[in-house]
Amino acid sequence: MSEGQVGVQGEFAGMPRRLFRASPSKLLAWVDCPRRYRLQYLDRPAPVARPQRAHTSLGVAVHNALRDWWDLPVPERTPAAGAELVRTSWIDVGFRDAGHSQAWRRRSQADVTAYLDDVDPATQPLGIERTVSLKTGAIAMSGRIDRLDERGSELVVVDYKTSRGVPTDDDARTSLPMALYAAAAWKMFRRRTTRVELHHVPSGTVAAHEHTPESLQRKLAEAESIAADARRAEDDYAQFGIDSGRFPARVGPLCQWCDFRAHCPAGQAAGPEKSDWAALEDDPQAATAPERSPAPADAERPGPEVLSQVDV
């Protein structure tokens, strides 16, 4: 075989390129910081990420409790049962001390109890932590939906939020992951899926947006554009490795929360690292975490994996 017949990643000249495989969180990682993207998805052996933060522990425990609640027999799906599931799912990692952890556990139990007061236990969702996937001409996307509801003939994508900040309808409208989940669910189940909802468990607020086929198509085009940029960078990485110049650090507030700041001098220079419990100070207004903090290398959605997203 002559030189030049095999291109990037062993592809043969003249053959169509493989679809770029990505999850919504992978695409957003590229948007947030190309350097973190490289550390998280490309460098091998993978750099060690920092230990889990307290807000991650809280978010995973609440998500797991709301997931497991639907596995109970219908008569046992009570708000009190949800609170008990928070207790048994609680992850005592990242908090300032035992008292801090217990206080936030009790608060989370109260939040879940109040949230489930407005949930009909007899209306079984179509999917709980349902994996959905979608292929376009450029990308192969997959991810997990917290909850997929049936509302009449249509489906609704529901995402739980546990951050201190209350999401808005505009957050639901602009969310790339929610739009991609809706498009994937529509294609997989062949049922119209245009409504997306962010359920803020601490406040009971539901932020919602009704997409159109055209707005979903625009979001797919946005995802393809992000993927194209990431792919060009990955191609450069395949040739030059860590010497590639396509992975600059995007220095900003997220650097103080980044799981990989120990491996990034630019991020370290951006400011002191936030404490493990900074997003869960006794006064929620005392330390507000950024809108989206970096996710760790081994997680896409809350569940058995360890997450590090402020707004899970």
Side-chain angles (χ1 to χ4, degrees):
M1 183 178 296
S2 63
E3 188 174 338
Q5 285 184 292
V6 180
V8 176
Q9 297 178 341
E11 293 167 350
F12 289 91
M15 293 184 64
R17 294 207 65 181
R18 300 171 184 167
L19 297 179
F20 184 82
R21 295 191 173 276
S23 64
S25 60
K26 182 178 180 180
L27 296 176
L28 292 182
W30 172 258
V31 172
D32 283 344
C33 180
R35 176 68 53 77
R36 179 168 66 84
Y37 181 95
R38 194 203 79 196
L39 291 167
Q40 182 171 342
Y41 292 103
L42 300 182
D43 285 359
R44 294 296 180 268
V48 177
R50 73 177 312 286
Q52 182 167 288
R53 295 180 184 271
H55 65 262
T56 302
S57 298
L58 182 155
V60 171
V62 170
H63 277 79
N64 287 350
L66 292 174
R67 175 199 66 200
D68 296 343
W69 190 76
W70 290 105
D71 290 334
L72 298 174
V74 173
E76 296 179 20
R77 293 177 188 169
T78 65
E84 175 61 13
L85 286 170
V86 172
R87 188 189 69 79
T88 58
S89 299
W90 195 249
I91 303 169
D92 193 15
V93 174
F95 295 90
R96 184 178 59 238
D97 51 41
H100 188 234
S101 175
Q102 290 171 11
W104 279 100
R105 189 200 71 209
R106 289 192 295 267
R107 177 167 179 168
S108 297
Q109 288 179 284
D111 290 343
V112 167
T113 298
Y115 174 77
L116 290 175
D117 274 334
D118 295 325
V119 176
D120 180 3
T123 304
Q124 182 74 29
L126 178 63
I128 299 294
E129 292 200 357
R130 173 69 194 233
T131 297
V132 293
S133 59
L134 173 71
K135 291 183 179 179
T136 72
I139 61 174
M141 188 281 298
S142 64
R144 270 192 291 169
I145 300 173
D146 284 345
R147 199 174 90 204
L148 188 61
D149 286 354
E150 292 182 285
R151 312 258 181 96
S153 62
E154 300 186 1
L155 303 180
V156 176
V157 175
V158 173
D159 192 59
Y160 300 128
K161 294 298 179 185
T162 58
S163 61
R164 298 303 96 192
V166 180
T168 66
D169 290 348
D170 197 53
D171 292 326
R173 178 184 66 83
T174 59
S175 171
L176 179 62
M178 296 295 278
L180 295 179
Y181 294 146
W186 191 340
K187 186 167 185 178
M188 284 182 63
F189 294 99
R190 300 183 183 276
R191 295 173 63 178
R192 184 181 178 89
T193 311
T194 54
R195 184 174 177 83
V196 296
E197 296 180 352
L198 302 174
H199 288 207
H200 188 244
V201 178
S203 68
T205 299
V206 175
H209 180 68
E210 193 77 36
H211 278 286
T212 64
E214 292 76 20
S215 68
L216 290 178
Q217 190 59 49
R218 286 193 295 271
K219 285 295 187 183
L220 286 172
E222 179 184 347
E224 288 182 326
S225 177
I226 295 170
D229 288 343
R231 177 167 229 166
R232 282 190 289 270
E234 289 196 13
D235 289 347
D236 200 66
Y237 181 88
Q239 184 174 0
F240 299 107
I242 61 173
D243 293 325
S244 170
R246 289 183 176 269
F247 299 90
R250 190 158 292 154
V251 178
L254 287 176
C255 295
Q256 294 179 284
W257 302 86
C258 183
D259 286 346
F260 297 96
R261 62 177 278 123
H263 310 281
C264 179
Q268 294 171 34
E273 184 177 25
K274 294 292 185 179
S275 69
D276 287 356
W277 57 87
L280 296 179
E281 295 288 350
D282 292 333
D283 176 3
Q285 302 303 317
T288 302
E291 178 111 357
R292 182 176 64 249
S293 74
D298 62 347
E300 301 297 344
R301 301 291 303 155
E305 302 90 353
V306 174
L307 289 182
S308 186
Q309 292 177 297
V310 164
D311 65 341
V312 293

